[in-house]
Amino acid sequence: GESVGLHLPTLSVQEGDNSIINCAYSNSASDYFIWYKQESGKGPQFIIDIRSNMDKRQGQRVTVLLNKTVKHLSLQIAATQPGDSAVYFCAEIPALNKFYFGSGTKLNVKP
Amino acid sequence: DVKVTQSSRYLVKRTGEKVFLECVQDMDHENMFWYRQDPGLGLRLIYFSYDVKMKEKGDIPEGYSVSREKKERFSLILESASTNQTSMYLCASSSPRGKLFFGSGTQLSVL
């Protein structure tokens, strides 16, 4: 199967700082990636996606960077807020309806 | 906005009971999925359906069955619940472009 991993299982940041969450993927043929946010006891919430023909995509306070050379994906959150505290995980999609998920990084935002 | 609705947030059942988990999506998506999520194991695919009355086994189908009689509804059935089926169950549907949207989850406890 595919392997989608995360470099850090837990990340603690100060409120107002920027956060960077990383993800490595294994299939160089993957052409679509999604970041999800999951709060405790809730389902994963779609944050942002990126296709392999791009290396950067920006949303509201979030940016996803894709480095296909080293098969690495990152999620940057600007001005991190307490409401950003959650588990974040990436999904790699090598083919339509084939989703492979990382185990997640827990983001703790300290006030 | 896409809405994927799971009928129960929390369920407590006894070993041997037949359990139905219901999921409804309102975006006319062809594809629907059932995952279970366990600490340290991430998201694992149980079954998915790509059309009414069509289904395919995922990675861990044993002990589960599914039903898709209408496009908007996808049901997961535990024929005889066991304690190792205690988990968070997540339903999802995907758009034609491959974006996967999750419901809020059902935390099932089997005693």
Side-chain angles (χ1 to χ4, degrees), chain B residues 23-85:
Chain B
C23 175
V24 176
Q25 51 97 1
D26 66 356
M27 283 302 290
D28 202 37
H29 287 166
E30 306 268 330
N31 304 301
M32 296 186 74
F33 306 78
W34 275 106
Y35 290 90
R36 63 177 282 177
Q37 185 178 36
D38 302 285
L41 297 176
L43 283 158
R44 293 181 291 167
L45 180 65
I46 305 172
Y47 268 98
F48 84 94
S49 169
Y50 50 92
D51 203 349
V52 174
K53 297 191 188 292
M54 307 303 283
K55 61 186 179 185
E56 278 199 24
K57 292 180 180 179
D59 301 318
I60 51 162
E62 297 80 18
Y64 303 95
S65 62
V66 289
S67 172
R68 184 120 181 249
E69 297 296 319
K70 293 184 179 181
K71 193 174 186 180
E72 67 271 18
R73 187 179 295 270
F74 191 34
S75 303
L76 180 70
I77 303 152
L78 286 66
E79 296 289 342
S80 178
S82 63
T83 54
N84 63 12
Q85 291 179 310

Side-chain angles (χ1 to χ4, degrees), chain A residues 9-28:
Chain A
T10 304
L11 177 66
S12 293
V13 298
Q14 205 68 41
E15 181 179 356
D17 287 352
N18 297 334
S19 302
I20 300 175
I21 301 170
N22 297 303
C23 178
Y25 65 94
S26 62
N27 190 337
S28 54

Side-chain angles (χ1 to χ4, degrees), chain A residues 6-82:
Chain A
L6 292 167
H7 294 312
L8 296 173
T10 304
L11 177 66
S12 293
V13 298
Q14 205 68 41
E15 181 179 356
D17 287 352
N18 297 334
S19 302
I20 300 175
I21 301 170
N22 297 303
C23 178
Y25 65 94
S26 62
N27 190 337
S28 54
S30 292
D31 63 356
Y32 184 46
F33 305 86
I34 302 174
W35 276 103
Y36 289 94
K37 172 187 180 183
Q38 188 173 20
E39 296 174 271
S40 182
K42 297 184 179 179
Q45 177 187 353
F46 176 97
I47 303 173
I48 193 167
D49 59 353
I50 189 167
R51 297 206 177 261
S52 60
N53 60 351
M54 302 173 72
D55 52 20
K56 181 179 179 178
R57 188 158 189 235
Q58 287 184 290
Q60 190 175 14
R61 281 202 307 118
V62 294
T63 301
V64 54
L65 299 177
L66 175 62
N67 185 330
K68 294 182 285 292
T69 303
V70 295
K71 291 187 282 188
H72 184 267
L73 194 68
S74 69
L75 177 72
Q76 299 179 0
I77 305 173
T80 314
Q81 301 168 1

Side-chain angles (χ1 to χ4, degrees), chain A residues 32 34 36 38 40-46 49 51 57 89 93 96-103, chain B residues 9-10 31 33 35 37 42-43 48 56 88 90 94-105:
Chain A
Y32 184 46
I34 302 174
Y36 289 94
Q38 188 173 20
S40 182
K42 297 184 179 179
Q45 177 187 353
F46 176 97
D49 59 353
R51 297 206 177 261
R57 188 158 189 235
F89 59 89
I93 299 96
L96 191 61
N97 293 319
K98 295 289 184 189
F99 299 90
Y100 297 94
F101 301 94
S103 54
Chain B
R9 287 297 306 277
Y10 302 96
N31 304 301
F33 306 78
Y35 290 90
Q37 185 178 36
L43 283 158
F48 84 94
E56 278 199 24
M88 167 74 101
L90 291 162
S94 68
S95 70
R97 283 180 57 82
K99 226 178 250 194
L100 189 67
F101 297 94
F102 287 92
S104 47

